[in-house]
Amino acid sequence: MIPSSVSTVPDSPTPPEWRPRASIENLRRRAELLRRTREFFAARDVLEVETPLIGAATVTDPHLHPLRTELEIGGQRRAGYLQTSPEFAMKRLLAAGSGSIFQLCKAFRDRESGSRHNPEFTLLEWYRVGWDHHRLMDEVDELLGALLASPAAERITYRDLFQRHLGLDPVVCPLSELEARVGDRLHGGGDRDQLLAFLFTHDLEPRLDGRRPTFVYHYPESQCALARLGRDPDGQTIAERFEVYLGGVELANGFHELCDPVEQRRRFEREAAERLAVGHSPAIVGLSPAIVGRSPAVIDQKLLAALEAGLPDCAGVALGFDRLVLLALGLDRIEEV
């Protein structure tokens, strides 16, 4: 006989927390910022587009980790990738004659979480035909002023920023000087770009003006990503790209876009080789990855074909919209918005 003081019903599990972390009021204010963003581009006759979130190819950038999925197509299981940004598809539209375009969409990156990172996030990405990165910086500044009421931005080259705050020239200083500045703070050391990146994030970002946007532009050639190359007044080769910071937050990354298909293929293959050096990923059913590494890497042949057909001279930028909302609402954590 079971004593009357003992329950025969098992303890009920604690119900999961189902409420959204973002308040309804925050979501209303986010919706208002989305509306005003669309109005900003509509007033400038920039076409809003939507491109696929799943693709057969993915980025080769060794610092990005795409999310993989599988699709059944024609009775076969094939790999697909949730896009880390809409860039490649939007460039195909540009090559097809779309003119200037923008997009507000979800993007996905594995191994990214924290107060300002989430594996699923919202990007605002746009491209201006016939513009260079300087003119695009003007428009980014205008957008931030319209949405955040921020004052006019400061602009400083990557090289001048290092010289102003650290007293070293990142272009010509010896590797030994960078190693001495980093000391034992970077476990295992690193190559030149890794040391520069460490100094930038740990010693320079905290010194940027938190009250107004700062555009850091003209990065070293080795950090060109998808930007075209140019020359600074001293004749040094630079990448025609910029990053935007405000309130201690990295907001956007922009480029005077590379249009050369031969150079683009070379960069893709170089990045893919870097992934290979890190280690292989499992084989992918139905696809033949060019080179795989930390995560599957399949070179986007359609993008290369679009470049061969002719990408117009243009500048483009990707802005983290969730971070912009954080700044607009004066909040600290991305889940709040």
Side-chain angles (χ1 to χ4, degrees):
M1 182 175 180
I2 301 175
S4 60
S5 60
V6 178
S7 172
T8 59
V9 180
D11 292 338
S12 298
T14 303
E17 179 52 62
W18 57 270
R19 295 172 182 80
R21 295 184 181 181
S23 71
I24 301 303
E25 178 57 29
N26 286 352
L27 296 180
R28 288 195 180 99
R29 296 174 71 182
R30 178 189 177 100
E32 172 67 12
L33 288 166
L34 285 166
R35 181 187 65 79
R36 289 166 56 193
T37 299
R38 288 188 163 96
E39 288 176 349
F40 179 91
F41 288 108
R44 288 159 174 77
D45 198 28
V46 179
L47 177 68
E48 182 172 9
V49 298
E50 292 182 87
T51 56
L53 295 180
I54 300 176
T58 186
V59 293
T60 55
D61 188 329
H63 304 293
L64 295 180
H65 305 278
L67 287 168
R68 174 189 165 181
T69 185
E70 284 193 345
L71 309 170
E72 184 170 325
I73 302 174
Q76 290 186 325
R77 302 298 296 178
R78 296 178 181 265
Y81 303 93
L82 296 176
Q83 297 303 288
T84 58
S85 97
E87 177 173 5
F88 294 175
M90 292 181 77
K91 285 182 174 177
R92 288 164 55 195
L93 284 174
L94 291 164
S98 66
S100 297
I101 53 177
F102 84 98
Q103 182 166 189
L104 279 157
C105 68
K106 290 293 185 182
F108 305 86
R109 296 178 187 179
D110 200 7
R111 308 185 196 181
E112 296 198 8
S113 63
S115 62
R116 294 171 184 168
H117 295 84
N118 196 57
E120 175 185 340
F121 59 100
T122 301
L123 265 182
L124 166 62
E125 189 153 332
W126 75 96
Y127 294 84
R128 287 299 221 150
V129 173
W131 288 22
D132 64 8
H133 54 302
H134 293 288
R135 192 172 177 188
L136 185 58
M137 281 192 276
D138 292 340
E139 187 164 67
V140 175
D141 201 10
E142 292 169 8
L143 176 69
L144 296 180
L147 298 182
L148 302 177
S150 57
E154 177 187 18
R155 301 188 190 187
I156 184 168
T157 67
Y158 182 95
R159 191 177 188 182
D160 286 346
L161 187 66
F162 272 84
Q163 291 175 322
R164 175 191 293 181
H165 294 295
L166 299 182
L168 64 82
D169 187 330
V171 176
V172 299
C173 71
L175 181 64
S176 59
E177 184 173 358
L178 295 178
E179 291 172 334
R181 291 298 185 100
V182 171
D184 59 3
R185 293 183 292 165
L186 180 59
H187 180 69
D191 60 22
R192 188 178 190 87
D193 279 329
Q194 289 169 328
L195 294 170
L196 287 172
F198 183 90
L199 290 172
F200 191 97
T201 57
H202 288 75
D203 295 351
L204 294 179
E205 282 186 15
R207 305 189 192 197
L208 298 178
D209 189 337
R211 299 163 297 177
R212 62 173 175 162
T214 299
F215 287 80
V216 182
Y217 66 100
H218 288 175
Y219 281 69
E221 177 183 2
S222 58
Q223 300 178 35
C224 58
L226 297 176
R228 65 176 66 191
L229 300 177
R231 297 279 182 180
D232 70 9
D234 294 333
Q236 296 288 340
T237 302
I238 47 88
E240 296 186 343
R241 55 172 291 216
F242 63 87
E243 292 187 357
V244 188
Y245 296 84
L246 177 59
V249 176
E250 180 190 343
L251 266 182
N253 194 2
F255 306 91
H256 192 189
E257 301 293 344
L258 179 66
C259 298
D260 181 350
V262 175
E263 172 62 15
Q264 185 64 79
R265 182 180 293 277
R266 186 187 70 81
R267 292 187 193 180
F268 278 161
E269 291 175 348
R270 182 187 65 215
E271 290 180 337
E274 291 177 20
R275 299 180 81 90
L276 180 64
V278 177
H280 290 280
S281 291
I284 304 167
V285 176
L287 292 176
S288 299
I291 304 178
V292 296
R294 298 186 184 187
S295 52
V298 182
I299 291 176
D300 193 325
Q301 300 297 334
K302 289 184 178 179
L303 172 63
L304 293 174
L307 295 182
E308 289 170 0
L311 182 71
D313 181 28
C314 61
V317 60
L319 184 148
F321 192 80
D322 306 306
R323 295 182 179 185
L324 184 143
V325 179
L326 273 185
L327 292 172
L329 274 58
L331 300 172
D332 297 316
R333 300 193 62 83
I334 206 165
E335 63 262 28
E336 296 178 278
V337 299

